[in-house]
Structure formats: structure tokens, C-alpha cells
Amino acid sequence: MSMYPGHRGMGNVPPANGVVGRLNELLDQIRAEFESHIRQSETYEHQIQAQVQEMHAIREKVYQMEQSQLGLKQKYEEELAILRQQLESRGGPPGPMNPPPQHVGPPQPPPQIGNPGNNTVIGAILSGHNQAGLAPPPHPQQQEQQQPPHMPPAPPGLQGPPPPPPPPSQQPPFQQQYPQGPAQGGFPPQPPQSTASPGPGSKRAIGRPPAAGPATPQINTPVPYTGPGQSPQVPTHPTPDHARMAQHAPPPPPPPHITNVLVDLDPERLPNHIKKVREDWWVIFNQSVPRVLDVDLLHTLQHESVVCCVRFSHDGKYVATGCNRSAQIYDVATGEKICVLQDESIDLNGDLYIRSVCFSPDGKYLATGAEDKLIRVWDIQTRQIRTTFAGHDQDIYSLDFARDGRTIASGSGDRTVRIWDVDSGTCQLTLTIEDGVTTVAISPDTKLVAAGSLDKSVRVWDIKQGYLLERLEGPDGHKDSVYSVAFSPNARELVSGSLDKTIKMWELNTSRPLPHNQQPPLKGGRCIKTFEGHRDFVLSVALTPDSEWVLSGSKDRGVQFWDPKTGQTQLMLQGHKNSVISVAPSPVATPAGGYFATGSGDMKARIWSYTRLDRR
């Protein structure tokens, strides 16, 4: 027993274990809440870091885009300065700081073949640049723009076509393209339309600058009144004596005359009897001559690039087209694609346009000429290359297969015409001239070969001995580069189409047979007819097999039928949304008409029929 009695004020003391347990419980709750906040904080920090990184990435992208945009802007400004200089040097519209010219400038110089510093028409069409002038590149220091075309052409001077136009779904609606002259036939002029060929123009063949087409001069620019005041002042006069005036009244003015320039007429304002309008094509008939033809569309052959050339087989059953990297053959009756001929061994990078195609007379082979300087002769049945001809130093722009079935003529930007033998696989003859060759044709009797050139001349040689027989030029000749030639079926005449917007028919004066190795005297053929009516470059010409019509295709997007006897146009067909680069009639015709094909920068080839109304 304790010596000290118990203290009455202290009462019962709770056990120590209960207090400690309560404190531990509270501490555990605080610890758990603290750890929860730490986890939330870490989550937020991760999210913030991810957003910061994303913002850094966006900033880098924006900076790269800004640098890229500045680079593009500088490049475009340099190109615009170059194009403006070229336009002004060719007599085009003055720049914003220059006063308008007081006099008409000199004619535009023709594009030069084989010189990278000069422009070509066809290349411009292929690259899709806006040209004011239906092709065929700036200097290496002036590289890269504009062209949305189309364009053969690119004859000489071509350094390789940039990208083709965009698909038709992205092209502007079908419309009339060129500025219109004064009212004709009582119809007021229409507002000018843009000459831009549809499509971007950025991609191009490796190591080759973009092509650009020459500028098209403005047509029929109105001249302002130069007298005093805003309008001429008309003085007052006494009332005239109408009775006396009636006795000496001048004859009434003649009715307005419609000329060959049908492209200036608006079909919506023409009476129905001189037009034919369909969904995406129309025809205007020349009402100053009797209407004897009708035209209809048979097939539209869609391609993935500019169609540089079209050509019928000799039996008229097939039509071949040349485009980027391939030649294609279609059935004329059905429009069905029969085969695609493409050399799979060549590099797939860059563009390689087939500029010319032609069938052998028996229809077994198709010859193609391309920008890689090679001629390939394809076996159509096996779709294999039978022969390859190498020898040209620049792009090949034109081919023709002779009726003998073994001779091929080729024309190139290297200023040569070459004659090849298919059977032996050799070059038989090389004919050299002063400038790039844009077009060649062999006469139906296989005795002559003709070539058109950038130097405005047409030359005719003896195909066996290589003698130059005729040089078609002079005061009555073309004033600009010749882009197409074709013999008449009897080989006595030849037609040529030029960048001077005209077609000419020449009477050939080829000499009689000469002793072997005797040089004949050089003669100049006589121009017997000039066909005027196109508003832009004439890129392709041909004659129907009965010689009744001359056909022409132009950068003004029109195809015209001309009467070779009168020089009058029968009709003007607008069936494409870009330059008509190639036109070809079927070699097979009937008294009632026949077929013809067109190839364009709008990535379409079309097969048409023409019919004689007076022979149906």
C-alpha cells in the first residue's frame, strides 16, 4: 500500500495508446492528401511541358514557312522583273513607271532553237505559263514562272517543259479567249479575256529551266481622240434643204462584211443559221461564203498531260497521240484506248514529252520523237521497241514516215533534218540549216523533204541526194518562225503555218530529174495564197486527202477550215480550253467528208467528223 493517499483532483487518466493512434490517423490523412496534390502537380507539369514543346514546334514551323514564303516572294519578284523586261523588250505593255509608247515597236523576234536564253512557244504551253502570244526558257540566271500551257511547240530553244495544266475540273469555264477588234457584221466587240493557259507551273525536267512563251501583242487598241476639248465641237448650221439634198444623196453604205476573223464574234449574239453550239464546243460559219460543211464531235480522249501531237494511221482506223512519257493509240470508231507505248527503262524523274508520232504505212509500227533526242520505232502488236535512232543533239520536234515504209525524216532543235532507214537502222542523210528545225514533212511520192524553221523559211530538199531545191521566203513569205508544213496530196503545193498568225500555200517549182551528183539551181517557190484570220500563233496545218480543205490549229484555241481556191475560211471551231497544238485529218475520206483529230494544252485529244452538206 502506498504511503501517499490518492489525489482526489486528478480523476481517471485515459490510456496513452488511444492518443497516439489518433495522431497517426491524422498524419496519415495529411500525408495522403499531400501525395495526391503532388501527383496532380506532376500531371499538370507534364501537360504544361507538352504544350510548351508543341508551341516550340509550331513556332519552328511558322518560322520555316515564313522563310519559305520570303524565298518564294523574292523568286517571284525576280521572275516578274525578268518577264516585265522581256515583255517591254518585245513591245508589250509598258511597266507602271514607264510612259506608254508613242509608236508601234518593231516586231517580236522569233524564239531561237537551241539557245537557252530564248523563249519557245510549245514549251510554254507544256509548262502552263501565261503567254501573250500556243507553244514553244529564261536564261539560267533568270530561272524560275508563268505559263499555265499548253504548246508543240516547243520548238527550238526549248529547255524542257515544266508541269502540265491542272485537271479540267480546275480550269476556267469554256470561254472565248482573245481581245476583240472593232465590231464586225454589226456585232459589238466583246471584252478581252485572259490569255492564261490553265494550270500551275512549278515542276520541270531535271536540270532544265522553265519555258516561257512570247507575249501576244494587244489587238485593235482604241486610239483616244486627240483634238481640243473632251469631244469635237460641232458648229451650228442653218436647216438643210432636204429636197435639194435628196437629189444628190450619196449611195447607202454597203452592209457590214464578215471577214475571216471569226474568233472575234460572240456566238451568243449570232443568228442560229451561222452557228452551232454544244455543251463545251461551238462552231461559227462564215456567212460571207456559202455554207457547205458541218462538224460534229465523235470522241473526247482524256489525257493526264498536254497532248503534243495527233496522227491517224494510213487506213484511218486508229489515231495516235503523244503526251508526257507515253504515246497512246485509240480506235477511231469506238474511241477505245488500244495501247500505251512507254519506255520503262528511262528515268522516271522529270518530264519527257513525246513531241511527234507517226504510223508506218502498213500500220505495224509507230515512230515517236521526244525531248531525250531519241527516235523510237515501236512494234505496235508486241508493244516493244523495234529500233532506236540516236544522233540528234537536241530535242526532236517533228517526224514523218515516208510512203515507202522504210524512210523516216526528223527535225530537231540542233538545226538539222535527218533521214533514217528503218531497215538498216542507220542515218542516211543529215541536212544542216542556220536555225532550229520545228517541223518536217515527206512528199507523198517520197522524193522531197520539207522543213520549217525558226528563221522564217521553208526549205525543200531532194530526199535522196540532199540537194536544196527550194527556199520559200522573201517579201511574200512568213514574217516569223514557221511551226508546221504539209505537202498537198499531189506534192505540187505545200502549206505552212507560222507564228505570224498566217497560213501560206506555195506552188513548188521542183526541177525535172537531174543527172546523178549534179547540183540543181536553187529556186524560190511562189506563194499563191495567204490565209489570214487567226488571232494568235498558227501551230499546225494540214490538207484533207482530197485537197479540198486546208486545216489549221492555233494558240487562239480555234481550228479553221480554209478553201484553198479562194483563201476564205469556211468555219471556225472552238473545241478546246487551251491552245490547239496539233491538227490532223484522216487519210481516208469519202465524197461526203471524213474525220480529223485535234490535240491541245487542255490535256485532251478529240476526234471530229466533217461532212459536205451538198453531198449527203
Side-chain angles (χ1 to χ4, degrees):
M1 185 175 71
S2 174
M3 62 180 296
Y4 300 103
H7 194 280
R8 296 179 181 177
M10 293 183 62
N12 296 329
V13 177
N17 292 337
V19 175
V20 173
R22 178 61 178 166
L23 288 174
N24 289 337
E25 182 180 352
L26 293 174
L27 289 173
D28 290 338
Q29 291 177 0
I30 293 172
R31 184 182 298 109
E33 187 175 356
F34 179 76
E35 291 175 351
S36 174
H37 283 296
I38 288 178
R39 286 193 295 269
Q40 291 181 359
S41 176
E42 290 175 350
T43 301
Y44 291 145
E45 287 180 356
H46 285 306
Q47 292 177 353
I48 292 172
Q49 290 177 359
Q51 292 178 357
V52 169
Q53 291 176 356
E54 185 177 356
M55 291 298 296
H56 280 303
I58 293 174
R59 180 183 178 187
E60 290 297 324
K61 289 182 180 179
V62 171
Y63 177 78
Q64 293 174 2
M65 292 173 64
E66 182 181 8
Q67 294 300 114
S68 177
Q69 181 67 22
L70 290 175
L72 289 174
K73 180 180 179 182
Q74 182 179 0
K75 183 188 299 182
Y76 286 142
E77 287 176 349
E78 293 173 354
E79 291 176 359
L80 287 173
I82 293 169
L83 292 172
R84 188 176 293 109
Q85 292 175 1
Q86 293 177 353
L87 184 62
E88 292 175 4
S89 67
R90 291 173 179 269
M97 302 301 294
N98 299 330
Q102 301 299 317
H103 304 283
V104 177
Q108 301 175 6
Q112 299 296 318
I113 287 189
N115 184 350
N118 291 330
N119 298 330
T120 54
V121 176
I122 304 284
I125 298 173
L126 297 179
S127 59
H129 280 320
N130 179 8
Q131 330 129 15
L134 245 270
H139 196 275
Q141 286 99 350
Q142 300 175 353
Q143 283 187 1
E144 202 83 354
Q145 174 286 8
Q146 169 212 247
Q147 145 152 12
H150 324 21
M151 149 191 152
L158 266 202
Q159 295 305 312
S169 61
Q170 301 176 13
Q171 295 179 352
F174 188 79
Q175 59 186 5
Q176 189 172 350
Q177 161 136 359
Y178 285 84
Q180 317 226 345
Q184 298 191 20
F187 301 106
Q190 302 300 305
Q193 303 287 343
S194 167
T195 59
S197 300
S202 57
K203 172 186 171 187
R204 62 184 116 96
I206 298 174
R208 305 164 75 160
T216 301
Q218 296 301 312
I219 302 172
N220 296 325
T221 304
V223 179
Y225 176 70
T226 57
Q230 296 182 351
S231 61
Q233 302 300 312
V234 181
T236 58
H237 294 281
T239 302
D241 186 343
H242 295 285
R244 292 177 56 192
M245 292 179 63
Q247 299 176 2
H248 306 283
H257 177 67
I258 293 185
T259 66
N260 285 334
V261 187
L262 302 181
V263 72
D264 283 342
L265 302 181
D266 182 0
E268 294 185 358
R269 304 191 180 197
L270 295 177
N272 291 331
H273 69 279
I274 62 171
K275 69 180 181 182
K276 182 174 185 177
V277 180
R278 295 297 182 263
E279 181 179 0
D280 64 346
W281 60 275
W282 45 269
V283 182
I284 293 179
F285 302 95
N286 189 357
Q287 66 177 355
S288 64
V289 300
R291 177 182 170 184
V292 297
L293 280 184
D294 192 18
V295 171
D296 276 300
L297 175 64
L298 294 184
H299 305 293
T300 297
L301 314 175
Q302 187 66 50
H303 290 64
E304 296 181 356
S305 68
V306 172
V307 180
C308 299
C309 50
V310 292
R311 188 76 72 95
F312 280 88
S313 60
H314 285 251
D315 59 9
K317 294 181 179 180
Y318 303 98
V319 65
T321 64
C323 56
N324 191 15
R325 312 191 72 83
S326 70
Q328 304 179 21
I329 300 177
Y330 296 84
D331 185 289
V332 172
T334 65
E336 178 186 0
K337 185 186 296 186
I338 302 301
C339 71
V340 176
L341 303 176
Q342 182 170 345
D343 189 346
E344 302 295 343
S345 66
I346 60 178
D347 187 359
L348 297 179
N349 296 320
D351 294 326
L352 181 63
Y353 280 90
I354 308 299
R355 294 297 178 81
S356 185
V357 295
C358 55
F359 285 92
S360 62
D362 59 10
K364 294 182 179 179
Y365 306 109
L366 184 76
T368 63
E371 295 176 328
D372 61 358
K373 313 169 191 176
L374 298 179
I375 301 168
R376 296 171 176 84
V377 181
W378 296 81
D379 185 308
I380 297 174
Q381 184 175 4
T382 64
R383 304 183 187 183
Q384 299 297 316
I385 298 175
R386 180 200 177 196
T387 308
T388 299
F389 294 117
H392 281 295
D393 296 327
Q394 290 192 23
D395 300 2
I396 296 168
Y397 298 116
S398 184
L399 295 176
D400 200 13
F401 222 124
R403 298 279 180 91
D404 63 7
R406 61 179 297 172
T407 304
I408 294 176
S410 61
S412 166
D414 63 6
R415 299 178 171 87
T416 66
V417 175
R418 295 174 187 255
I419 308 300
W420 309 86
D421 187 291
V422 176
D423 292 342
S424 65
T426 59
C427 179
Q428 300 293 302
L429 194 63
T430 299
L431 308 169
T432 304
I433 63 173
E434 293 84 359
D435 214 332
V437 179
T438 58
T439 175
V440 295
I442 298 176
S443 62
D445 57 9
T446 317
K447 294 181 178 180
L448 307 173
V449 59
S453 168
L454 292 182
D455 64 5
K456 314 174 189 178
S457 296
V458 178
R459 296 169 175 82
V460 181
W461 293 271
D462 180 290
I463 200 170
K464 298 298 183 184
Q465 302 183 51
Y467 292 140
L468 180 62
L469 302 178
E470 304 198 39
R471 184 163 176 164
L472 312 178
E473 56 185 10
D476 295 330
H478 287 293
K479 304 301 187 290
D480 208 335
S481 305
V482 178
Y483 264 42
S484 183
V485 294
F487 281 97
S488 64
N490 62 14
R492 297 174 185 171
E493 294 87 26
L494 181 141
V495 293
S496 56
S498 167
L499 300 191
D500 65 8
K501 309 175 190 177
T502 69
I503 302 105
K504 292 183 180 289
M505 175 170 277
W506 305 85
E507 182 182 58
L508 300 180
N509 295 319
T510 51
S511 57
R512 60 183 178 275
L514 294 168
H516 186 64
N517 293 332
Q518 179 177 340
Q519 172 69 53
L522 180 63
K523 295 184 178 181
R526 183 170 65 95
C527 178
I528 56 177
K529 197 73 65 179
T530 297
F531 308 89
E532 298 180 281
H534 280 295
R535 279 300 195 196
D536 215 323
F537 304 154
V538 177
L539 302 177
S540 183
V541 294
L543 289 104
T544 57
D546 55 11
S547 296
E548 290 193 351
W549 304 102
V550 174
L551 278 68
S552 60
S554 167
K555 188 177 179 294
D556 64 14
R557 308 183 181 187
V559 174
Q560 297 202 36
F561 276 69
W562 307 84
D563 186 335
K565 300 181 181 65
T566 65
Q568 294 289 322
T569 183
Q570 169 70 197
L571 60 85
M572 187 271 299
L573 165 67
Q574 285 279 341
H576 289 281
K577 298 178 183 177
N578 206 317
S579 308
V580 178
I581 302 173
S582 180
V583 59
S586 170
V588 178
T590 66
Y595 300 111
F596 67 100
T598 54
S600 170
D602 65 2
M603 302 193 291
K604 292 179 182 177
R606 285 185 148 178
I607 302 175
W608 311 80
S609 67
Y610 64 95
T611 307
R612 291 285 305 222
L613 299 177
D614 54 349
R615 299 176 186 172
R616 290 194 295 190

